[in-house]
Amino acid sequence: MIGSIIGDIVGSIYEFNNIKTKDFPLFSESCEYTDDSILTIATADWLLHGGEVAEYYSRYAAANCHPMGGYGCGFQQWVARTIAEGDFSPYNSCGNGSAMRVGPVGWLSSDAPQNDETLILSKAKESAESTHNHPEGIKGAQATALCIYLARNGATAAAIGKRIAKDFGYDLSTSIDDLRKRYSWDGLDGKGDGGTCQGSVPQAIICALNATDFEDAIRNAISIGGDSDTIGCITGSIAEALYGVPTDLRQKAMDYLPAEFKRIIEEFENKYSHK
């Protein structure tokens, strides 16, 4: 799950100041973790300790209420409602928040390995639909989690791309160079919405699958523009499983985080990520 957090931190300063190059400092003093990391850690906490995932998202957001970049308006209203009224019903969002926080789900394993893919798709759906119960919101989370599962089980980038295109209908054929020219917060060629799952998850997957290593994947993600921290987060979650994360990048990201977040990450890695 550290790949998600690295992508988020690196992209944090470019979310509203897009760049269209892979030539940039990977970390800087201005970088911070954002809502993407907070809710990714909430997902890991839920998977470790059980209960209702919606309660984790509400509690983590309430305890970390003003992160860099901020939460989406719909999510903020949902959190306020959960606190004021105890109403945790979802709000039919297709925003990319469901995909950016799902990374830990892709690392789940069970006592019956042949059932792991079913488990991961089920938990990705459960995570997404607690807030983002629109079909596209669920699809974005499941596609991201399945990429991670396939990668950590040895599938090649090409095989992952074929499987995701087949199962989810995403067009993954656009090159990184074309995305850099054509993509923005307004989607591909200005005909979409880069804040939605359908407008950012395919692009993030492309950035991960068309890289030479983990760092190259993150640079791909930031260089295409759009919702940079979230695209970086989604790309990083997949790239970690595909390529591994260099120790120095892991440590640099951990240095940005408070002690309680580090504890959850280490507990999760000890249980899942290194097995």
Side-chain angles (χ1 to χ4, degrees):
M1 63 180 291
I2 191 65
S4 305
I5 292 165
I6 293 171
D8 174 44
I9 292 171
V10 173
S12 63
I13 59 174
Y14 301 112
E15 179 181 11
F16 302 113
N17 186 28
N18 286 173
I19 56 173
K20 292 286 186 172
T21 176
K22 292 171 70 170
D23 184 14
F24 58 88
L26 207 61
F27 293 97
S28 75
E29 292 184 0
S30 301
C31 290
E32 295 182 26
Y33 66 87
T34 79
D35 58 303
D36 299 42
S37 291
I38 293 166
L39 296 180
T40 295
I41 292 165
T43 301
D45 198 352
W46 164 60
L47 295 173
L48 286 166
H49 302 118
E52 296 295 327
V53 65
E55 295 180 3
Y56 283 85
Y57 293 145
S58 174
R59 184 169 72 248
Y60 268 77
N64 302 274
C65 51
H66 298 295
M68 185 175 187
Y71 300 98
C73 291
F75 184 79
Q76 290 182 52
Q77 293 169 3
W78 177 83
V79 172
R81 170 160 53 84
T82 65
I83 295 170
E85 305 173 19
D87 179 2
F88 287 84
S89 57
Y91 55 100
N92 198 39
S93 175
C94 63
N96 54 19
S98 63
M100 61 79 166
R101 69 193 187 202
V102 80
V105 172
W107 291 93
L108 287 181
S109 57
S110 66
D111 294 333
Q114 67 271 23
N115 296 328
D116 282 356
E117 184 176 318
T118 300
L119 171 67
I120 284 166
L121 290 172
S122 174
K123 285 295 185 181
K125 183 175 185 289
E126 185 177 350
S127 166
E129 68 183 3
S130 65
T131 53
H132 293 52
N133 57 325
H134 187 285
E136 290 290 348
I138 295 169
K139 184 166 85 168
Q142 288 186 316
T144 302
L146 185 59
C147 283
I148 297 166
Y149 168 78
L150 294 171
R152 71 179 178 85
N153 281 282
T156 65
I160 294 169
K162 289 180 181 178
R163 175 70 186 279
I164 297 302
K166 175 179 177 290
D167 286 10
F168 297 96
Y170 286 153
D171 181 357
L172 304 178
S173 64
T174 310
S175 70
I176 301 294
D177 286 342
D178 277 351
L179 284 179
R180 200 173 292 122
K181 295 172 185 174
R182 300 169 55 196
Y183 186 71
S184 72
W185 265 100
D186 295 319
L188 196 63
D189 300 324
K191 298 177 180 178
D193 182 346
T196 63
C197 277
Q198 60 269 38
S200 60
V201 171
Q203 290 76 22
I205 294 172
I206 290 169
C207 289
L209 299 185
N210 292 275
T212 56
D213 55 25
F214 178 83
E215 181 176 334
D216 190 53
I218 298 300
R219 292 187 180 280
N220 281 343
I222 306 308
S223 76
I224 68 170
D227 191 358
S228 294
D229 61 330
T230 297
I231 294 173
C233 184
I234 298 168
T235 296
S237 71
I238 300 166
E240 176 183 5
L242 268 171
Y243 311 110
V245 174
T247 302
D248 62 327
L249 297 188
R250 181 187 187 278
Q251 186 55 56
K252 286 178 181 178
M254 292 288 274
D255 288 344
Y256 285 86
L257 303 176
E260 62 268 27
F261 288 6
K262 294 178 185 179
R263 179 182 59 79
I264 293 294
I265 292 168
E266 290 168 356
E267 183 180 357
F268 188 86
E269 289 179 340
N270 287 336
K271 184 168 184 179
Y272 293 114
S273 298
H274 299 299
K275 293 184 178 181

